[in-house]
Amino acid sequence: MTVVNTLADVVVAVDLGGTAIKGSLVSETGETVATSTRSTPATDIIDTLMELIAELIAAATAHGRTVIAAAVVTPGMVDESSGVVVYASNLNWKNVPLLAELQSRLSIPVTVGHDVRAAGLAESRLGAAQDVDDFTLIPIGTGMAAAIVSASGAVRGALGAAGEIGHIPIVQGGELCTCGQRGCLEVYVSGAGVARRYAARAGGNLSSREIVARLGSDADADSVWDEAARALAQGLATVTLLLDPAVIVLGGGFSQAGAALLHPVTRYLDELLVWRDAPDVVLSRLGGDAGRVGAALLAFACVDRLEVADTWVLDAERVPL
Ligand SMILES: [Zn+2]
């Protein structure tokens, strides 16, 4: 754990993922006061989560800070009003009353959110979609999902499952997805998908980052990447025609490819959209930190202090992908 000084109240912000639980103390000036990370265990996830939160609260107390609220964001289908995680495949959770569990064990206000929608909140308050009423954030990592903001409101869906863009089937009878469907978008456009498709063509065990590094000198890398860019453009065309966003923000580790991703995707998107202009397609400014920053904003919001974020200035170098 690293600790620095601050002058203000703090919240506990936790991004609970399938591989890691990333927690931090965030001050009302947006400063990250302390961080702590645990590997996500196969079982007893809530016990490990509580250990991490207790560690952060103790760190705050040791430095004379007051923890005023906490927020935990998770993947999957999340009912934010009840705080129940309806389904999260990578946590192996079904109908877990996460908010009730946290409330029974913590004596501070606490809230539960969806990781990608929280990231969308962070991008809208502090990142690449500030002052944009209609935008879609698409973090692409091992898989992909979307946070949809329409008329300044987050679109959640009837089951809390809106934004599962990665599982939109785009190739009829296509390759099998981990979700059980065939031809899903994330089979072709994700870190795992690109790595698997390259290995099937050329062998080896390269990561998507290594494949990007070979562009221009490896025909198999060029081919797999081009197919990914075309598939992503097709997904963005669907998003554009359905939601008419002003901006589409690409985030997650996959977007670290930068121009190597943005240039072909915007070119293919322009080709697909014959009768209307494409929205702006930009890279996330908060990167892999967006979910955790979003959790901090949710924690301040749950004690009616969201306005604190109006003064936050996040340095891109402090929030790497
Ligand atoms: Zn799928």
Side-chain angles (χ1 to χ4, degrees):
M1 174 180 288
T2 54
V3 177
V4 297
N5 283 329
T6 183
L7 298 173
D9 289 344
V10 292
V11 294
V12 171
V14 182
D15 188 352
L16 170 56
T19 55
I21 308 174
K22 300 176 188 171
S24 60
L25 290 175
V26 179
S27 78
E28 58 189 348
T29 60
E31 184 183 18
T32 299
V33 178
T35 60
S36 183
T37 299
R38 306 276 169 101
S39 295
T40 306
T43 57
D44 302 324
I45 292 173
I46 293 178
D47 288 342
T48 303
L49 174 64
M50 288 307 305
E51 287 170 17
L52 181 142
I53 293 173
E55 180 190 358
L56 289 167
I57 291 174
T61 304
H63 289 80
R65 314 297 171 215
T66 302
V67 177
I68 59 170
V72 177
V73 299
T74 85
M77 290 165 57
V78 181
D79 182 336
E80 283 146 329
S81 57
S82 65
V84 172
V85 180
V86 179
Y87 177 67
S89 61
N90 47 8
L91 300 174
N92 203 19
W93 277 3
K94 207 167 185 182
N95 292 320
V96 172
L98 179 59
L99 180 62
E101 287 280 349
L102 292 168
Q103 285 174 329
S104 72
R105 303 192 201 192
L106 290 170
S107 56
I108 53 174
V110 58
T111 189
V112 165
H114 180 257
D115 56 357
V116 178
R117 284 195 288 274
L121 173 66
E123 293 287 352
S124 73
R125 295 300 294 243
L126 302 157
Q130 286 181 62
D131 303 318
V132 179
D133 294 337
D134 293 86
F135 74 92
T136 302
L137 165 68
I138 306 177
I140 310 172
T142 307
M144 67 189 295
I148 301 161
V149 172
S150 182
S152 303
V155 176
R156 294 180 170 77
L159 301 174
E164 291 288 357
I165 185 175
H167 300 292
I168 292 178
I170 62 156
V171 178
Q172 201 170 16
E175 295 174 29
L176 190 63
C177 180
T178 53
C179 77
Q181 297 177 172
R182 285 192 174 273
C184 291
L185 183 56
E186 74 172 41
V187 169
Y188 306 92
V189 189
S190 63
V194 165
R196 183 185 50 75
R197 300 190 80 239
Y198 180 88
R201 287 177 71 106
N205 190 25
L206 299 185
S207 68
S208 62
R209 187 187 302 246
E210 291 166 326
I211 292 163
V212 168
R214 291 178 175 226
L215 293 177
S217 60
D218 177 339
D220 289 315
D222 288 345
S223 184
V224 167
W225 192 254
D226 186 63
E227 288 168 4
R230 284 179 185 274
L232 180 54
Q234 198 173 329
L236 300 194
T238 301
V239 166
T240 301
L241 294 167
L242 192 64
L243 300 167
D244 186 24
V247 178
I248 295 175
V249 182
L250 301 181
F254 202 78
S255 70
Q256 282 185 308
L261 179 67
L262 214 48
H263 286 171
V265 166
T266 52
R267 189 174 75 247
Y268 289 136
L269 181 58
D270 282 337
E271 287 176 10
L272 287 166
L273 296 173
V274 172
W275 54 266
R276 61 153 291 166
D277 289 339
D280 290 337
V281 181
V282 302
L283 299 176
S284 160
R285 279 173 49 192
L286 300 177
D289 215 28
R292 191 185 60 83
V293 173
L297 296 178
L298 289 178
F300 279 110
C302 99
V303 286
D304 295 323
R305 300 270 296 273
L306 184 57
E307 79 285 350
V308 296
D310 292 344
T311 60
W312 289 10
V313 177
L314 295 185
D315 181 347
E317 292 186 6
R318 277 174 45 207
V319 287
L321 286 166

